[in-house]
Amino acid sequence: MYRYDEYDHAFVAERVAQFRDQVKRRLAGEITEDEFKPLRLQNGLYLQLHAYMLRIAIPYGTLSSKQMRTLAHIARRYDRGYGHFTTRQNLQFNWIKLEDAPDALADLAKAEMHAIQTSGNCIRNTTADHWAGVAIDEIEDPRIWCEIIRQWSTVHPEFSFLPRKFKIAVTGSPNDRAAVRVHDIGLRMLRDENGEPGFEVIVGGGLGRTPMIGKTIRPFLPKQHLLSYLEAILRVYNRYGRRDNIYKARIKILVHEIGAEEMRRQVEEEWEGLRDGALDLPADVVAGIGRHFAPPRYQPQPTIATETERLRFENRDFALWLRSNVVAHRQPGHAIVNLSLKPEGGPPGDASAAQMDAVADLADAYSCGEIRVTHEQNLVLPHVAVADLPAVWRGLTLIGFATPNLGLVSDIIACPGLDYCALANARAIPVAQRISQHFADLARQHDIGELKIKISGCINACGHHHVGHIGILGVDKNGTEFYQITLGGHAGDDVSLGSILGPAVPADQVVEAIDSLVRTYLAVRQDGERFLDTYRRVGNTPFKERLYATA
Amino acid sequence: MPLLKGGALIDDPWQRLADDTALPADGAVIVSFARWRAEREVLLARSAPLGVLLKNTDPVDALAPDIARLQLIALEFPKFSDGRAYSQARLLRERYRFGGELRATGHVLPDQLHHMRRCGFDAFEVAKGDPVTAWRRAVHTFSAVYQPTGDGRAPVSALRRRLLAAAAD
């Protein structure tokens, strides 16, 4: 894991002091709310429906047990005892007081954390594959590059007042688990003909009200040029991105309007003036960052974990959990354990302070002190010995994080929606809770198989509904909540945007509608087909006919 | 408006010339980019200092051939949240090697001086507050920076390399 050195420590402490002074001047009326807004936003502080919300950066979704305990402490001390993990691998606290925010940030700084640039029109937290460093299909650990990007983008003097927010995602595997094609910049690691790793550079993807799939503007970028190339893209965007209309200000609109080829030309031209300069990444600098992400010292493991095998045969719940929540690890005798923050009927992504502490304890005992946050609002213990799986499962069961539903119909992504968010048109969390309750039968969920439902409470699409196998979008019709359904979205390598099925359905019919879609799938699926496969084969029609015939 | 330069407030020795005002025989003047384009020869023929004010949509590369003959370039922030001039500033300093006064004008807020300074601005028409205190804050807030820019500060990555090299000696 990355550890701060004296420079990082000093910088974050200075940032806290700076914000403390800004808050003081705001409370004294020396700066207007309009002028204060970008300052607080770039420190992660939003004004929401009921209170300030503090969004804490979890760079590329990696946390130490100590950091998790700090988050628990913040939840208890400054909030109402719980937090909410987001689709950008961050954590949000929804009940923060403005005058407490500098103290909360100071506590975070002690644990090498911050809330810098988790909001505002700047470069946001860089996201990555949540199985980084342990996935068996990985070329290189993407977190090395994310950390390099994090440092370069931190209080970047040129790019702190961009036309709009800017999100970068990196995947180190050919199998994209970071949704790189729906980010402002997606970086996908691959090898050139000599076997050298580098990046495919994808620009202009995004969700929101105008969903677009990113375009590849450079099929292969050697690693040492990463920052100069990013700086070239950001400079073109900063100068020419639209600023006349907030809804057309993301880079995807610029790419769409001038075309991918012209975008590529402008970026390459700008890059000619930047490459091989001060942003060049010497191998020793990369290696210096890379050492932080060296694999932990794994203990030797027996070839057969007897107790794990025994329990698998004796306990159906454990076996189910192994099947859906535990995946293969690069190190023999180890496994990646996915924690479900989607208990039956619970709000997706919520964790209490007690649950955070318990996860930290489990990480210390069984996962080399390391935890990951996924963009699907779950957590991961990345380094668990197969022999320890029964103990980990028991520990997770006690805190309600062992629901064996990863990737299944109740593993729902939902934005905070109208329960918290000032932008929302409709509630999202209660819809997720009702769908989750309806499909509570785990055997049925496993029979249905992989099915990703994603819910957004408004067109800004924080719940990623465009890339849900089933996407649900809350809309407001004359003061009443309705939900528009899309089918066939997907965020992996074979990315696709969902298409609208038909008229939006009223709130009290959403569960029935989802049930109808699932039944249609079960009726027409062929052997081995997931929901997405069936949909891609048969299209909207059978789903539409059945849904709107019964509605 | 008082001008912040070198950490102090000074009287602005420059005159901002409207496009329809006759060109005075001497005295330092700042003209618009449009006027610069229209009257370039006449303007360069004067012996007094010359400055050009660019809108943030004006092309900075158009000044490149004459960059050494300009003593001042002013860049405009129509709103504090419109950050295009930061890129213009870096291009002028780092690509076109502009060595004169680079002035920030418009909606210049005290909390943005740090960013402006790092991008190469060295004179500021600060709209409000106490500019001298703001300047001190901008200079001293961060003891380290993460990006190489034209301001010459060694970024953290370079400082780390130096430490490693010193340890290896």
Side-chain angles (χ1 to χ4, degrees), chain A residues 36 107 140 151 184 201 214 264 323 345 364 386 435 451 489 514 516:
Chain A
F36 180 59
D107 292 352
E140 224 172 79
Q151 296 188 19
D184 295 288
V201 183
R264 188 197 64 77
R323 197 166 99 190
D364 278 339
V386 173
I435 294 170
L451 173 48
I514 304 306
S516 157

Side-chain angles (χ1 to χ4, degrees), chain B residues 6-137:
Chain B
L9 287 177
I10 59 165
D11 286 329
D12 188 354
W14 290 81
Q15 181 193 353
R16 180 88 65 90
L17 209 60
D19 282 354
D20 54 1
T21 304
L23 191 62
D26 48 27
V29 294
I30 304 173
V31 299
S32 73
F33 179 68
R35 187 162 188 173
W36 156 258
R37 275 205 153 157
E39 302 174 29
R40 178 179 166 275
E41 303 299 327
V42 179
L43 290 165
L44 288 176
R46 291 169 85 241
S47 56
L50 179 63
V52 176
L53 168 69
L54 292 184
K55 291 202 198 67
N56 67 11
T57 48
D58 288 333
V60 285
D61 55 343
L63 294 180
D66 299 307
I67 207 100
R69 305 172 76 176
L70 298 175
Q71 283 73 40
L72 177 149
I73 297 174
L75 300 175
E76 202 169 29
F77 291 83
K79 279 185 304 190
F80 71 87
S81 53
D82 184 339
R84 280 177 275 200
Y86 293 108
S87 288
Q88 289 179 310
R90 288 195 66 197
L91 284 169
L92 286 168
R93 285 288 194 227
E94 297 168 40
R95 188 157 306 162
Y96 303 118
R97 302 286 159 197
F98 176 60
E101 174 179 320
L102 191 56
R103 179 183 292 200
T105 179
H107 199 184
V108 176
L109 294 183
D111 285 291
Q112 297 186 325
L113 293 177
H114 167 82
H115 294 66
M116 292 178 178
R117 181 169 173 258
R118 293 224 62 215
C119 289
F121 289 101
D122 59 356
F124 312 86
E125 296 175 2
V126 183
K128 60 181 281 188
D130 169 4
V132 175
T133 309
W135 176 257
R136 234 173 275 136
R137 268 203 306 267

Side-chain angles (χ1 to χ4, degrees), chain A residues 130-136 138 298 328-331 336 372 382-383:
Chain A
H130 42 268
W131 296 342
V134 292
I136 43 181
E138 186 172 277
Y298 297 110
H329 195 286
R330 147 193 315 185
Q331 178 74 15
I336 303 170
R372 307 287 176 79
H383 309 290

Side-chain angles (χ1 to χ4, degrees), chain A residues 249-260:
Chain A
R250 295 289 288 272
I251 196 174
K252 64 190 170 187
I253 302 292
L254 176 65
V255 174
H256 180 71
E257 288 182 351
I258 67 174

Side-chain angles (χ1 to χ4, degrees), chain A residues 469-471 483-488 498-505 513-514 516-518 520 531 535 538-549:
Chain A
H469 300 163
I470 297 177
Y483 294 87
Q484 191 182 74
I485 295 169
T486 51
L487 290 185
S499 65
I500 297 173
L501 192 60
V505 299
I514 304 306
S516 157
L517 299 173
V518 170
T520 304
F531 182 92
Y535 172 80
V538 303
N540 268 355
T541 312
F543 294 99
K544 193 172 176 170
E545 280 172 357
R546 180 158 181 165
L547 175 61
Y548 293 103

Side-chain angles (χ1 to χ4, degrees), chain A residues 316-453:
Chain A
R316 195 175 143 277
D317 292 345
F318 180 67
L320 218 50
W321 178 77
L322 285 181
R323 197 166 99 190
S324 57
N325 292 32
V326 178
V327 296
H329 195 286
R330 147 193 315 185
Q331 178 74 15
H334 287 74
I336 303 170
V337 172
N338 295 280
L339 284 53
S340 169
L341 271 60
K342 319 289 176 65
E344 181 194 328
D350 272 14
S352 69
Q355 286 171 320
M356 292 182 208
D357 279 338
V359 170
D361 292 345
L362 287 169
D364 278 339
Y366 303 111
S367 180
C368 308
E370 203 177 313
I371 301 150
R372 307 287 176 79
V373 184
T374 82
H375 76 272
E376 297 187 321
Q377 301 181 281
N378 290 314
L379 297 175
V380 174
L381 293 174
H383 309 290
V384 178
V386 173
D388 292 333
L389 287 170
V392 169
W393 174 69
R394 288 187 192 103
L396 292 174
T397 303
L398 281 177
I399 57 169
F401 283 176
T403 311
N405 64 347
L406 209 85
L408 302 181
V409 64
S410 65
D411 184 7
I412 300 169
I413 290 185
C415 73
L418 200 52
D419 293 297
Y420 297 98
C421 179
L423 300 172
N425 293 320
R427 288 169 296 169
I429 291 170
V431 175
Q433 289 173 303
R434 282 190 283 128
I435 294 170
S436 158
Q437 278 159 349
H438 180 79
F439 290 99
D441 178 354
L442 285 162
R444 181 160 182 241
Q445 287 194 46
H446 277 255
D447 176 45
I448 296 165
E450 184 185 303
L451 173 48
K452 298 191 174 183
I453 297 181

